[in-house]
Amino acid sequence: EAPSGAGSAHKFPEGFLWGSATASYQVEGAVHADGRGVSIWDTFSHTPGKTFDGDTGDVADDDYRRYKEDVQLMKALGLHTCRFSIAWPRIFPEGTGAPNPKGLDHYNRVVDELLANGIQPYATLYHWDLPQALEDKGGWQSRATSEAFAHYAGYVTAHLSDRVRHFMTTNEISTFTELGYGTGTHAPGLKLSRAGLAQVCHNAVLGQGLAVQAIRASARPGTKVGLAENIIAVTPVVNTPEHIQAAAIAMREENAPYMNVVQTGEYTDAYLKRLGADAPKFTPEDLKTISSKLDFAGINIYQPTYVRASDSPEGYAIVPPPASYPHMYSPWITIGPEALYWAPKLATQIWNIPELYITENGASSADVMTPEGTVLDTDRVMYLRNYLTQLHRGVSEGVPVKGYFLWSLLDNYEWADGYEKRFGIHYVDFKTQKRTPKLSAAFYKEVIARNALG
Ligand code: GBH
C-alpha cells in the first residue's frame, strides 16, 4: 500500500465552506455582448500607458461564453461555493434608467448552472466596473452615484435572491477609491486633492449603506448581505500583550474611513483630526446609513501589516518590511501567514462581527508551463499551506470564519498589471483559452476533500 499523508490534524469544522473568487471584468470578456454598456475599466485600459503592455479585459478568460466549462472546473475541485461579481453596465448600460434584460439573463444562467452543480453562489454587486455614463457625471465624486448604486443593487437582488442567498455590496472600497481617485493607477485614473478623495471615500461607504437598505427592501426575506473589504491586516510584530494591544488600536485607525465607519457608524477622532479642513462633508443621517446592519463581513487578505506598540500619541507604529523581506511574484504580497490568524481574530472581536468570510486570499507566481503540460507552482502551494494553517489556528480557537474563497479560480486580467501577473490555480493560455490545473489546484482539491490540511 502506498504511504498516505492523510492525518486528522488541522481539521476544519463540519460545514466549513471552500470556494473560489473571480470578478466580472477580470474574467468575462465579451465586452460588447448582449447590450453591455461601457465601464470605466474599458475606457482606462484602452488609454495608452495605463496598463501593462496596454492589456485590456476585452477578451480576458472569455468566461462570459465559457462559464459552463468554468463551473465544471469548480466541480472537479469539489468547491462548495463560488464568489463572482455582476457587471453593473450589463444590467444598466447607462448606470441608471432602463435595465437591459439580456444582461440579467446571463447571470440567471450562471446562477442556475452553479446550483445545478451543487455550488452555492455568493455574488458581489460592485467589483470596480462602474458604468462610464456615471463617471461622466462625476462618478464616486457625486452622491448621485451612491444612489444609482443602491437602485441597481435593489434591482439585481429582487431578481436573483430567490436563488442567490448571499450578496456582497462592494469589493474593496479602499482600493477603488484610493487607486481610482487618489494615485490614479486604476480607473478612472484621477488624482484628486486630499479633500476630494476623502469625499469620494465617503460617497462610496454611503453607497454601500444605501445598497444594504435597498437590498433589504427588495430581496427575498432572509437574504444575507455583507461586503468584501481589504482591511489593512494588522498583525502584531511579535505575540506579546503590548503589541497585540497596539494592533487592536491600529485595526480601527488604519481602517477608519472604510470598515471601521461601516461597522461603527463613526469616523474616528484621529481620522477627522488628521484630515482637518479636508475631512468629508457628512450628516449624522449619513453615518446611520453607512452603518446599516450587515449579516456578515468579508475580508480580503493577502499580506500582513506589522504593527508594534509605541509611545506615539496613536499608541502604535507600523513596521515596514525590510528590503530582504520575502514576497510572492507581485512585490506587494509580502509573505506573512499569521495575517490570516490575527486579522480575522481582531476584526471579529473589535467590530463584533457574527459571521466572517475570507472573501479573497491567494497569490501570484511566475508560473511556467512545462513541456509535459503541467504548472508546478510550489511557491503558491507553500503560500496557501502556510496561510491556511494560520486560518485553521483561528477557527479552532472559535473565530467565527464560515468560509474561504481562494483568489483565483483562473489566471485573469490583473487590472493595471494586465496578464503578466497570474493568480489562478488553473493556468490559462490566453491564445487558446485552454485551462490547465496547476499543482495548487491539486493541493486545494485535497484540502477540500479532507476538510483539513495534510
Ligand atoms: C484584490 O486586490 C482585488 O479584489 C482583485 O480584483 C485582485 O485581482 C486581487 O486582489 C489580486 O491583486 O502595484 O504596488 O501599487 C488586492 C488589493 C490593492 C493589491 C492595490 C494591489 C496595488 C499595489 N490591491 N495593490 S502596487
Side-chain angles (χ1 to χ4, degrees):
E1 203 191 319
S4 157
S8 60
H10 294 128
K11 262 266 176 213
F12 279 80
E14 200 70 42
F16 190 83
L17 292 178
W18 296 105
S20 65
T22 59
S24 46
Y25 189 67
Q26 294 181 271
V27 298
E28 285 179 353
V31 292
H32 302 297
D34 297 334
R36 175 186 178 277
V38 175
S39 91
I40 56 173
W41 269 95
D42 299 305
T43 309
F44 186 78
S45 67
H46 280 272
T47 305
K50 298 296 185 191
T51 68
F52 178 87
D53 229 9
D55 287 345
T56 75
D58 286 2
V59 178
D61 292 321
D62 194 33
D63 166 78
Y64 189 81
R65 300 195 174 90
R66 293 171 196 259
Y67 69 92
K68 288 190 178 172
E69 179 186 344
D70 293 338
V71 171
Q72 289 311 307
L73 296 177
M74 297 178 198
K75 196 176 180 184
L77 285 173
L79 292 187
H80 308 133
T81 176
C82 117
R83 175 174 176 241
F84 67 98
S85 85
I86 294 171
W88 185 350
R90 290 196 192 279
I91 310 294
F92 289 99
E94 302 292 314
T96 54
N100 168 36
K102 285 187 174 172
L104 188 65
D105 284 350
H106 172 70
Y107 296 106
N108 271 317
R109 288 190 294 268
V110 169
V111 165
D112 290 344
E113 186 70 14
L114 287 165
L115 290 172
N117 285 279
I119 299 166
Q120 282 185 53
Y122 276 58
T124 310
L125 294 161
Y126 184 70
H127 202 127
W128 309 353
D129 35 9
L130 184 73
Q132 181 64 43
L134 293 181
E135 182 57 36
D136 294 343
K137 291 183 250 165
W140 291 105
Q141 293 181 78
S142 161
R143 256 178 118 97
T145 293
S146 320
E147 283 153 17
F149 177 57
H151 178 253
Y152 150 73
Y155 178 84
V156 170
T157 55
H159 289 87
L160 294 182
S161 61
D162 57 333
R163 288 153 293 148
V164 180
R165 307 304 294 133
H166 293 81
F167 288 93
M168 285 142 287
T169 53
T170 43
N171 180 71
E172 299 193 349
I173 293 171
S174 59
T175 304
F176 76 75
T177 55
E178 287 180 26
L179 274 59
Y181 296 84
T183 63
T185 48
H186 276 192
L190 300 181
K191 292 180 192 163
L192 301 182
S193 66
R194 198 167 72 141
L197 177 59
Q199 198 63 45
V200 160
C201 293
H202 180 76
N203 292 341
V205 287
L206 180 69
Q208 194 285 141
L210 288 169
V212 174
Q213 297 181 351
I215 296 167
R216 301 271 187 234
S218 318
R220 197 182 113 191
T223 303
K224 305 273 193 213
V225 188
L227 83 175
E229 191 58 29
N230 62 326
I231 58 169
I232 302 289
V234 297
T235 304
V237 269
V238 291
N239 190 350
T240 61
E242 47 160 352
H243 294 310
I244 295 169
Q245 174 60 26
I249 302 168
M251 185 61 111
R252 285 192 197 88
E253 294 302 342
E254 293 296 313
N255 297 295
Y258 313 113
M259 191 67 116
N260 192 67
V261 73
V262 167
Q263 296 290 342
T264 66
E266 281 168 18
Y267 286 121
T268 67
D269 293 341
Y271 173 72
L272 293 176
K273 199 168 157 213
R274 183 153 35 91
L275 284 181
D278 293 337
K281 310 276 171 284
F282 61 89
T283 65
E285 192 58 34
D286 284 357
L287 295 178
K288 270 199 216 135
T289 303
I290 289 168
S291 56
S292 299
K293 193 154 170 35
L294 298 168
D295 301 299
F296 68 92
I299 56 176
N300 299 351
I301 305 283
Y302 289 87
Q303 85 283 26
T305 295
Y306 287 116
V307 163
R308 66 176 171 87
S310 135
D311 302 333
S312 65
E314 298 79 31
Y316 72 91
I318 288 179
V319 180
S324 56
Y325 199 96
H327 60 77
M328 297 296 287
Y329 190 44
S330 303
W332 58 271
I333 308 185
T334 50
I335 302 167
E338 70 277 25
L340 215 45
Y341 170 74
W342 286 107
K345 185 181 166 93
L346 293 172
T348 51
Q349 279 176 359
I350 290 171
W351 294 313
N352 242 316
I353 294 172
E355 275 197 14
L356 191 77
Y357 291 88
I358 308 304
T359 33
E360 288 180 26
N361 172 243
S364 52
S365 162
D367 296 312
V368 283
M369 180 64 82
T370 63
E372 303 82 53
T374 59
V375 179
L376 299 172
D377 54 341
T378 50
D379 56 344
R380 185 178 285 108
V381 171
M382 172 277 292
Y383 175 99
L384 293 171
R385 183 185 285 123
N386 282 286
Y387 274 69
L388 286 173
T389 301
Q390 292 293 320
L391 178 64
H392 179 268
R393 178 182 164 206
V395 169
S396 55
E397 280 179 22
V399 178
V401 182
K402 302 297 172 199
Y404 171 91
F405 296 86
L406 197 158
W407 186 275
S408 185
L409 180 70
L410 302 169
D411 292 338
N412 60 49
Y413 180 68
E414 178 56 11
W415 306 113
D417 287 336
Y419 297 99
E420 206 264 332
K421 294 285 187 292
R422 293 174 176 270
F423 277 77
I425 57 173
H426 293 92
Y427 186 89
V428 176
D429 178 328
F430 290 106
K431 288 199 187 73
T432 62
Q433 291 296 340
K434 182 167 186 252
R435 282 90 159 115
T436 305
K438 302 178 191 176
L439 187 63
S440 52
F443 166 78
Y444 195 41
K445 185 177 175 172
E446 191 68 12
V447 169
I448 297 168
R450 289 193 203 163
N451 197 29
L453 294 161

